[in-house]
Amino acid sequence: MSETLKYSVRPGTIRTLSILCAIGGGLTILGLFLAPSSVWPNILIAAQLVIELGLGGIVFVAIMYVSNAGWSVVFRRVPESMSSILPIAGIVMVLMVFGIHTLYEWSHASAVAKDALLQLKSSYLNVPFFIARLVAYFIIWIAFARIIRRNSERQDEHNSIALTAKNVRWSAAFLVIAAITIWLASTDWVMSLEPHWFSTIFGMYHMAGVLLSGVAGVSLLTIVLHRRNAFDAPVREEHFHDLGKLLFAFSVFWMYIWFSQYLLIWYANIPEETGYFIRRENSGWLTFTVLNVLFNWLLPFIALLSAAAKRREGMLLKVSIIVLIGRWIDYYWMIAPPFNPDAPALGIWELAPVLALVAAFFLVTLKSFSKRNPVPINDPYLVESLNYHT
Amino acid sequence: MRMFDAFRRKSATRSIGMKSSRRNGSHPRAQDGAQRYFIAEYDDPDALSAAVRAAKKGGYTIADVQTPFPIHGIEKVIGLRPTRLPLVCLLFAISGALAKLWFQIWTSASSWPVNVGGKPLTSVPAFIPVTFEITVLFAGLGTVAALLFRSRLFPGRQTSILDERATDDRFVVALLEDSAAFDLREAKKLFASHGALVMEERVREASQ
């Protein structure tokens, strides 16, 4: 058997997503002329969201390979497909270079000249090196994602266990490299928005975000595709139970890292560091800080606490959506305050880029999913996954 | 699987073709108040599962199943209630959190107030890490203790197993002969049809 029934995305779905993407994209381009200072940060937020989903997908696959996990094989094509947004996200991030002076204080030579700290940091925070790193991250991520996906696809035709062994090795290397690149990328793109502030746990915080986003995206898409009978094979509550466990665990992990960052800064009480949280406790921003904790941790924690809830497909779907909204809140909370110090601004320029890229993410992921066998039919762990029982 | 109280082997008849049943059904209990059980052994988990399913369908009461390793899904087949341990775990966790939070507030703000870096005496963020650890500790130890207590697992406890080979390579099921309609011959036929290697009856004294 080398071919199963491929899933065809409903034309209506493609049309709706394309229209949403076009509206969002059009408004974003319009905004670049009308209100560039509001739109650039939100393009960054939108790009971060889909990068997190794409990376989360391929990191999920890599973790499953490295841990010799059998249970997830039946829906592995979902996280594999999620990584196909990375090239588009890469293009958006490269185009971000045009907005670099709007976004990053350290990119202005005049600002650096006046500032002793920025001068000290300028050997790392300078425009050419920034662009070189940006391109390097995406080349690395896309290359690993393609290699791991290609080996998985080739296994559909060549029934060879050697491809699984190969992917285990590639995945192990990727996980190490992903940890380093996510840490550096989060420093470059998000932490350097406030270049006088620093936090050594910031990279870990983003890794928690990637894992949380990845599992939420996988759960959401798997449930949606399962409801449309996209898989030839049964995806059952046993699989949802484990996805629910992971979503619960990474939600708690995210909160753990968030609080670790907060606690040390609060405890040490050094002005250089506390400014970051003081800016986010101001009148308008306090609501967002509370919402951030609520959507990324408290609601998922309460909703998924019992084993029965984790097994309920409808509950898992709702929690995944809550977490994905929480991811946007988290990025808005991290990126927007330097640009709107008094209160969060929410309007068309904030929503348009997010709408465009999130619609593009679903469009690209579904298209990529429909191009290949919905289930890795020759994976040695497929039988285990089909008969899985927690 | 569930712990099962001590069995005493009534007779040494241990063969599939055993013909000598002392009775032909129809009396649920022996005169001395002892409870009768019917034991069947298999050498394959799937055969056991199939037999247990068939027995359940046939209306037999399954007293216990003993296997060398957990058979996924068998707990549903034999109708075990879902465990309430998670609830115990939650209650221990909440009590741990409250106890530790109260203790820290009491020690640092009430019993012996200490000014740390000019922060308020009741600085909740500083109490969170220890509260978290104690929550996990209470939940973990409490759950294990509750499990041991509820399963009556204490040092030196005499475990009773239906057949020692159930810890090695045999899969054993015990039926409770609890109704007048229990027909030994029918039961034997049913279990033999799924490939039982050993079938026998045992009696447990009422006093045990």
Side-chain angles (χ1 to χ4, degrees):
Chain A
M1 186 164 69
S2 68
E3 187 115 338
T4 51
L5 201 61
K6 281 174 185 159
Y7 173 64
S8 54
V9 193
R10 288 182 197 167
T13 310
I14 294 179
R15 205 181 318 123
T16 314
L17 287 172
S18 307
I19 291 170
L20 288 177
C21 185
I23 292 173
L27 284 171
T28 306
I29 290 166
L30 192 68
L32 285 177
F33 294 103
L34 295 178
S37 60
S38 315
V39 172
W40 278 119
N42 288 290
I43 296 177
L44 180 62
I45 291 167
Q48 292 300 317
L49 276 177
V50 294
I51 289 169
E52 212 178 55
L53 282 165
L55 271 179
I58 199 67
V59 165
F60 184 92
V61 173
I63 291 173
M64 293 304 143
Y65 269 117
V66 167
S67 56
N68 284 337
W71 65 279
S72 58
V73 167
V74 62
F75 59 83
R76 196 182 64 216
R77 286 284 139 86
V78 174
E80 280 176 9
S81 306
M82 280 164 68
S83 66
S84 52
I85 191 66
L86 285 174
I88 293 175
I91 292 168
V92 174
M93 284 304 288
V94 168
L95 291 177
M96 283 281 301
V97 169
F98 293 109
I100 198 165
H101 292 304
T102 315
L103 287 169
Y104 300 104
E105 186 190 345
W106 50 261
S107 66
H108 297 275
S110 57
V112 175
K114 280 184 288 189
D115 198 315
L117 266 177
L118 291 189
Q119 279 165 26
L120 271 174
K121 294 182 182 183
S122 64
S123 56
Y124 186 81
L125 289 180
N126 59 68
V127 177
F129 193 25
F130 177 86
I131 296 168
R133 285 196 307 267
L134 192 157
V135 172
Y137 301 145
F138 277 100
I139 288 174
I140 291 168
W141 292 341
I142 293 168
F144 273 97
R146 285 187 84 99
I147 290 165
I148 292 171
R149 279 177 52 179
R150 204 194 54 209
N151 281 339
S152 168
E153 277 163 37
R154 275 173 54 197
Q155 198 168 43
D156 284 0
E157 281 146 39
H158 315 284
N159 190 356
S160 152
I161 203 163
L163 288 164
T164 298
K166 248 185 207 172
N167 258 0
V168 170
R169 284 195 292 275
W170 280 110
S171 299
F174 174 64
L175 285 177
V176 176
I177 291 168
I180 297 167
T181 46
I182 291 169
W183 158 53
L184 290 174
S186 69
T187 309
D188 286 10
W189 300 337
V190 185
M191 195 158 86
S192 80
L193 288 165
E194 288 157 276
H196 296 101
W197 178 76
F198 59 89
S199 161
T200 46
I201 208 171
F202 207 68
M204 199 65 205
Y205 183 64
H206 279 257
M207 286 172 219
V210 167
L211 292 165
L212 184 56
S213 226
V215 175
V218 174
S219 306
L220 174 81
L221 282 161
T222 304
I223 292 170
V224 169
L225 287 167
H226 166 64
R227 286 186 174 176
R228 295 189 170 187
N229 295 319
F231 302 100
D232 251 7
V235 178
R236 292 170 295 117
E237 59 177 10
E238 307 289 343
H239 301 111
F240 295 132
H241 191 176
D242 271 13
L243 279 171
K245 283 182 209 161
L246 284 180
L247 192 59
F248 181 84
F250 287 135
S251 170
V252 174
F253 181 61
W254 175 90
M255 187 69 237
Y256 190 95
I257 303 295
W258 189 99
F259 187 75
S260 299
Q261 176 169 287
Y262 178 81
L263 182 75
L264 292 193
I265 291 174
W266 171 85
Y267 220 123
N269 207 7
I270 302 169
E272 191 178 19
E273 295 170 352
T274 48
Y276 184 81
F277 281 104
I278 288 169
R279 278 192 286 283
R280 285 157 180 80
E281 283 171 10
N282 276 340
S283 54
W285 282 105
L286 184 62
T287 323
F288 251 79
T289 309
V290 173
L291 284 178
N292 196 8
V293 170
L294 206 64
F295 274 68
N296 281 292
W297 173 64
L298 193 57
L299 291 178
F301 181 82
I302 294 169
L304 291 181
L305 192 56
S306 82
K310 295 186 191 88
R311 298 175 76 88
R312 277 213 304 276
E313 182 190 308
M315 178 60 91
L316 192 58
L317 182 69
K318 282 187 202 99
V319 175
S320 305
I321 293 168
I322 286 175
V323 166
L324 289 176
I325 295 170
R327 297 314 304 143
W328 174 77
I329 295 174
D330 195 18
Y331 272 111
Y332 194 76
W333 180 85
M334 278 190 274
I335 292 172
F339 304 98
N340 310 296
D342 297 325
L346 281 180
I348 193 155
W349 306 133
E350 279 70 32
L351 297 176
V354 177
L355 181 71
L357 277 180
V358 170
F361 166 75
F362 283 110
L363 196 61
V364 169
T365 303
L366 288 175
K367 280 205 161 170
S368 162
F369 182 81
S370 65
K371 271 184 205 144
R372 302 171 302 141
N373 292 331
V375 172
I377 45 178
N378 286 330
D379 194 285
Y381 291 109
L382 182 60
V383 176
E384 183 185 329
S385 184
L386 292 177
N387 296 299
Y388 184 61
H389 192 295
T390 46
Chain B
M1 294 295 127
R2 195 153 32 137
M3 282 300 139
F4 206 65
D5 282 326
F7 276 100
R8 233 162 33 110
R9 197 161 281 176
K10 177 82 174 180
S11 66
T13 42
R14 287 191 47 157
S15 67
I16 301 172
M18 82 176 168
K19 215 178 172 190
S20 67
S21 79
R22 289 157 309 284
R23 54 193 199 90
N24 277 330
S26 77
H27 32 279
R29 277 168 184 273
Q31 270 107 20
D32 54 357
Q35 181 63 59
R36 286 180 174 276
Y37 292 88
F38 175 78
I39 312 286
E41 296 187 10
Y42 295 85
D43 62 355
D44 178 70
D46 294 329
L48 173 100
S49 296
V52 169
R53 256 186 210 101
K56 192 83 189 167
K57 221 172 157 188
Y60 293 101
T61 307
I62 291 144
D64 202 0
V65 170
Q66 292 187 351
T67 57
F69 53 80
I71 299 176
H72 285 312
I74 198 85
E75 73 279 358
K76 280 177 200 146
V77 177
I78 61 177
L80 283 186
R81 274 183 310 159
T83 171
R84 284 172 296 178
L85 263 186
L87 184 66
V88 174
C89 179
L90 179 67
L91 292 177
F92 270 107
I94 292 171
S95 54
L98 292 177
K100 194 62 203 177
L101 208 53
W102 168 80
F103 184 74
Q104 286 179 97
I105 293 170
W106 176 70
T107 49
S108 44
S110 163
S111 169
W112 195 270
V114 177
N115 182 336
V116 180
K119 290 186 162 60
L121 290 175
T122 307
S123 287
V124 175
F127 302 155
I128 296 293
V130 179
T131 306
F132 172 74
E133 301 297 345
I134 297 296
T135 306
V136 174
L137 184 71
F138 267 52
L141 292 182
T143 308
V144 172
L147 172 74
L148 297 183
F149 178 77
R150 195 67 184 83
S151 320
R152 292 185 217 101
L153 277 171
F154 46 83
R157 182 199 145 103
Q158 292 289 313
T159 56
S160 66
I161 43 176
L162 298 166
D163 183 334
E164 290 212 340
R165 289 183 69 180
T167 65
D168 182 14
D169 60 352
R170 282 292 163 89
F171 302 80
V172 187
V173 53
L175 289 191
L176 185 64
E177 299 181 8
D178 59 347
S179 90
F182 186 86
D183 186 339
L184 190 66
R185 214 172 287 163
E186 284 297 313
K188 275 186 182 165
K189 222 158 96 188
L190 177 85
F191 282 87
S193 72
H194 287 95
L197 301 173
V198 176
M199 290 187 289
E200 63 186 25
E201 257 194 321
R202 289 191 208 164
V203 175
R204 189 175 61 177
E205 303 297 338
S207 57
Q208 275 180 321

